[in-house]
Amino acid sequence: MSTTVIVVVDGLGIGAMPDAGRLRPGDRQADTLGHILDHCPGLRLPAFTALGLGLVHPHPRLADDAPLPVAAGRAALGYPGADTFAGHQTMMGADFSRVTVAPLGEHLDEVTAVLRAAGHTVEPLGGGPLLVDGVALVHDNLEADPGINWNVSARLDDLPFEDITAIARTVRTPAPVARVIAVGGHADGPLPGFVRPGDGGTVGLDTPACGFYRNGGLEVVHLGAPLDHTRQLPQLAARAGLPVTLVGKAADILRCGTAVRRPAVPTADVLRHTLRAATGDGLVVANVQESDLAGHQQETDRYGDVLRQVDEGLAELIALLDSPGDRLILTADHGNDPTIGHAYHTREYVPVLIHRPEFRVPQLLPDADSLADVGATAALALGLDPSRLGNGTALYPAPGTTQEPTAR
């Protein structure tokens, strides 16, 4: 038995993908990691550097070598846009390449039809949102890139959360987007008063302005695009009898019935749960969310502080996962450059840094076409067949099938 730990630093991009400027031309300059390092001159990341971050993202404060036996590369996202849910589902083996990026306004007729067929009243509001049963809003999500996700939002004073979720499930049926998100909370007034235009022709609820986030009692359910969870890494590992632990946001958005779930937002809690789970065998998938939150809030210093915390946790994980067959995989799901001038995710390559204790020298990997290749590589480390995943190819052959790679 061995342990494979995947740490996803949410939003840690390392440079714009070729199509990053399709929606916003300025995003061609996105470089989350580089801009944070430039902005935070005192930031030192020794564990990240030891894992080979400087091999895949040259920077004056990142050594261009790795003292550890790592395989280091970068991955394209492998799905449209830049989204946490799609990123994690892809990483675990789903094929999200055909998920559509579409504003709700392009599908109003289909959504209205299924809601009315389900017995709901539907009133179109100006510009796109639909008012359902006089209390629930179906609208574009204004906190993600335009057309990535739709929301169904209502005040819990007006509608029980299970009814909000039921409306969202109805909307999910014709929705071509990655997520339909059911959101219930306590607002400062009727929700139509907080509707505003977004980018790219979207119109939706200004969720922060309405008070949902500050008034307490927020309830959220993410309804993803249809996919076969049995062909994703957590369930593949569980069927093989391996323990599975999901930490942080990974506990909220990945599906595995037998997994131990440790939801958490504070980085210290995510790292504590991850370290505790890493003392056993099996698969651990952890998401550090505060990096993404700092990116959304355009707080570069805060983002640097989160990376400093993560670096300290990585040093402990490197020391712990030191047996042949153990793997520590450090990656991300998209970019979120806090210096780029907006609060959206940025479409960037992400690092793929893999600590392999039984090897002797670092290896520089070619670019991966998709985050799915990360999950396939983790499956290989666990002794599982990557071809049983829905998507993805291991980044290097199984141990013992080729000669040990040489350094760059």
Side-chain angles (χ1 to χ4, degrees), residues 320-362:
L320 181 64
L321 299 170
D322 62 350
S323 298
D326 287 344
R327 293 291 182 270
L328 170 60
I329 303 176
L330 187 285
T331 190
D333 49 355
H334 50 72
N336 197 341
D337 190 334
T339 72
I340 205 70
H342 60 72
Y344 297 119
H345 293 158
T346 41
R347 187 164 166 80
E348 299 180 52
Y349 290 102
V350 299
V352 182
L353 312 177
I354 307 170
H355 181 221
R356 306 180 299 175
E358 69 269 28
F359 286 89
R360 295 190 299 273
V361 294

Side-chain angles (χ1 to χ4, degrees), residues 192-218:
F194 298 96
V195 170
R196 66 169 176 83
D199 291 343
T202 58
V203 183
L205 177 69
D206 188 334
T207 305
C210 82
F212 272 9
Y213 293 156
R214 64 176 180 273
N215 291 336
L218 184 71

Side-chain angles (χ1 to χ4, degrees), residues 124-173:
L125 299 182
L130 302 173
L131 185 63
V132 180
D133 298 336
V135 292
L137 280 179
V138 181
H139 60 94
D140 289 305
N141 182 315
L142 301 186
E143 295 171 84
D145 267 337
I148 292 287
N149 303 317
W150 300 348
N151 283 19
V152 175
S153 304
R155 301 191 303 177
L156 295 173
D157 300 321
D158 297 330
L159 203 62
F161 187 63
E162 55 267 30
D163 292 350
I164 302 171
T165 304
I167 295 171
R169 293 191 189 283
T170 301
V171 172
R172 174 73 269 179
T173 304

Side-chain angles (χ1 to χ4, degrees), residues 268-346:
D269 292 344
V270 171
L271 294 172
R272 175 170 52 83
H273 290 312
T274 303
L275 283 161
R276 184 173 299 170
T279 60
D281 296 317
L283 172 68
V284 182
V285 183
N287 172 280
V288 176
Q289 186 179 0
E290 286 192 307
S291 47
D292 190 51
L293 298 178
H296 283 305
Q297 293 161 3
Q298 302 176 66
E299 296 178 346
T300 310
D301 289 329
R302 181 186 172 197
Y303 204 131
D305 288 339
V306 173
L307 292 183
R308 187 179 292 108
Q309 280 185 272
V310 174
D311 193 81
E312 294 171 356
L314 290 175
E316 294 186 67
L317 285 166
I318 291 168
L320 181 64
L321 299 170
D322 62 350
S323 298
D326 287 344
R327 293 291 182 270
L328 170 60
I329 303 176
L330 187 285
T331 190
D333 49 355
H334 50 72
N336 197 341
D337 190 334
T339 72
I340 205 70
H342 60 72
Y344 297 119
H345 293 158
T346 41

